[in-house]
Amino acid sequence: MASPAALLSRPLPDVGGPAQPLLSVRGLTKHFPLKGGLLNRTRGVVQAVDDVSFDLRKGETLGIVGESGCGKSTTSRLIMALMEPTAGEVIFDGQTVGPGGLSMKEYRRQVQMVFQDSYASLNPRLTIEESIAYSPQVHGLSRRTAIERAHELLAAVGLEPGQFARRYPHELSGGQRQRINIARALVLRPRLIILDEPVSALDKSVEAQVLNLLMDLKEQYGLTYLFISHDLNVVQYMSDRVLVMYLGRVAEFGPVEAIYAKAAHPYTAALLDSRPSMDPDRRRTEPPLSGDPPNPVNPPSGCRFRTRCLHAEDVCAATVPPLAEAGEDHRAACLVHSPGSGHSKAMPHAA
Amino acid sequence: MSSTAMSTTTAGLPLAPQPVASPGYWQGVWKRLRRDPVTLACGGILLLMLFAILAAPLLAPADPFQTSMLRRLRPVGTPNYILGSDELGRDMLTRLLYGGRLSWFIGITPVVIAFGVGGLLGIVAGFAGGWVNMLIMRVTDVFYAFPSVLLAVAISGALGAGVFNAILSLTLVFIPQIIRVAESTTTSVRNLDYVEAARGSGAGAMSIVRVHILPNVLGPIFVYATSLISVSMIIASGLSFLGLGTKPPEAEWGLMLNTLRSAIYSQPLLAMLPGLCIFVTSMCFNLVSDGLRAAMDVRN
Ligand SMILES: Nc1ncnc2c1ncn2[C@@H]1O[C@H](COP(=O)(O)OP(=O)(O)O)[C@@H](O)[C@H]1O
Ligand SMILES: [Mg+2]
């Protein structure tokens, strides 16, 4: 058996080969009971994530977009196994997590996360090097080796170890702190990194630097990214494929070029239309999205987007739209794309 | 200095720059405290008082229990009775010095015990969550529903007068209050992203509590506890004043305030002295607690 120091110096080996998805999410669901009132009774459930399935390919960056509150962070916490799903499972490189599969500790080594709030993600009482060196020590490295490893990673994220290792988080800028969070996520040599709005709290100029750093690190360390953001431009810049979420469900899923060229789901089209654009040619015919998304406690029946959709018909209230083919490797949960669904714009019968 | 000189002395290797180390957390707290004159002054007053009451046997000019029917209620400034004498002719300065010992003891002991017991229960409740939290917090809420003074008087009344019972009743009053603060502080820290990140890297509960929870919750709980000392001293004095705390002839500020009540018109200054001691002490504890709270916030 190799020493922990040797083990943590490179990622765990690929198991299923390049064609096997790194991560398969199957029917992932999280319902939060809404408690309150007398005797703390359950007064309903927040359907934060509802039957979400997707595959994450080795080496890709999958972007997840959607308005605030649509369940992006809950999805990432479920994948990180920071909370128990109501239903569904996560398969990592062909192995289930738990008894008979990958142990939780092995899984945690391979999947790490960067949070949005760079300040809240660092323990204010630890120095930078202690923060980064914490998880290798959890995995059995000596303090000295872990600190050495921390210095290597500080250098890798562009921070001079001599200058930053012994400082405290509150003394640094948001961009520097986020680099440290990235270093901490990398120190276990994971294969997958979940980035939950990693640049949303940063200035535009810093944002670009951090995004480019993420691209470089992905190359250098052979990583796969799950990149979450509500910013469509950032997702377009970063991602190979994009998953659009609406009110806990997958609305559309496909290659970034296809989606940004011609969105299949009316929600994606409205989102793309509502972003500021300098380019008059990119103006779309759809009106921008108005109003707030409905309450996830009592989401609309059938298609959850129908209350804000221009193409909504009676059938949309009755049928939950399946993810239908909308192009190559491109699917949308809209009855318009579902042949024989009964929607006036859909093809009458399955081809 | 020249770079050529440097490179020759280090055989071609560039000198590693000296690592920039920030001062540690407590050094920072001390640095911020040093710039806060109010807290420093109050802390100084408290230290002086503590020294005076500890050294009471050496400093006191007379015997605290030596009564004299002939020299009752001498005014402040009487020769040999610098601060006057009380209704039984005992030297006031001596009584105040010895009284401070009991007042401080009854005031601080309950807070210290409650900090230990309440802090532990609150941190456990906050970190464990679920039914453990439910159990601890529901019981706490029952006690918390009563105003402190009422609860202290009720418990002391039931247990009977005496120093031990006064401390016990105050401890019972403060435990729920500290549990609440400890629980809410721990719950909020537990939900912070750095704790999630630690869980996400495979750390066990014990390691998370030791490295991430305790260092971030003990400070705020401690500051809250120090703010209770002033309340504790006032309630302790109140209990003695009501005859539920210390019993005569013991010297204690609250009890002295009670027995000197009748002299408020004849010797107002004398009668107010124990009250003044209570007031100054509890105010200083309060201001020190505030200053500590500010100094312990790294963002200041
Ligand atoms: N711990 C929780 N308890 C109850 N409701 C929650 C909890 N976490 C998230 N939610 C709810 O779930 C929904 C999705 O939240 P979240 O995943 O944070 O969305 P996003 O990251 O896309 O903004 C929101 O309506 C939110 O209020
Ligand atoms: Mg979020």
Side-chain angles (χ1 to χ4, degrees), chain A residues 40 77 80 82 105 108 111-112 115 117 119-126 134-135 138-139 160 162-163 166-168 170-171 184 188, chain B residues 17-26 134 191-194 196-204 207-208 211-212 215-216 298-299:
Chain A
N40 221 16
R77 285 184 156 80
M80 282 292 290
L82 290 172
K105 196 143 183 167
R108 294 215 182 286
V111 184
Q112 287 288 301
F115 300 84
D117 185 341
Y119 190 69
S121 13
L122 290 168
N123 183 340
R125 298 290 298 277
L126 296 185
Y134 176 74
S135 52
V138 166
H139 285 262
E160 172 63 47
Q163 207 186 336
R166 303 276 174 82
R167 315 269 302 263
Y168 286 89
H170 70 269
E171 301 173 306
R184 176 184 53 194
L188 292 177
Chain B
Q18 196 61 28
V20 181
S22 304
Y25 175 75
W26 290 110
M134 190 84 139
N191 290 327
L192 286 175
D193 291 342
Y194 61 81
E196 296 268 272
R199 288 212 296 138
S201 63
S207 165
I208 291 178
V211 178
H212 299 289
N216 287 292
V298 287
R299 275 159 296 187

Side-chain angles (χ1 to χ4, degrees), chain A residues 236-249:
Chain A
Q236 183 178 21
Y237 182 64
M238 293 296 290
S239 315
D240 302 309
R241 292 193 299 157
V242 177
L243 185 145
V244 183
M245 276 183 84
Y246 185 77
L247 228 54
R249 292 226 181 111

Side-chain angles (χ1 to χ4, degrees), chain A residues 32-33 46 48-49 66-75 83 196-197 296:
Chain A
F32 293 107
V46 182
V49 175
E67 287 160 296
S68 162
C70 72
K72 304 183 296 293
S73 294
T74 306
T75 305
M83 50 171 70
D196 188 358
E197 313 235 13

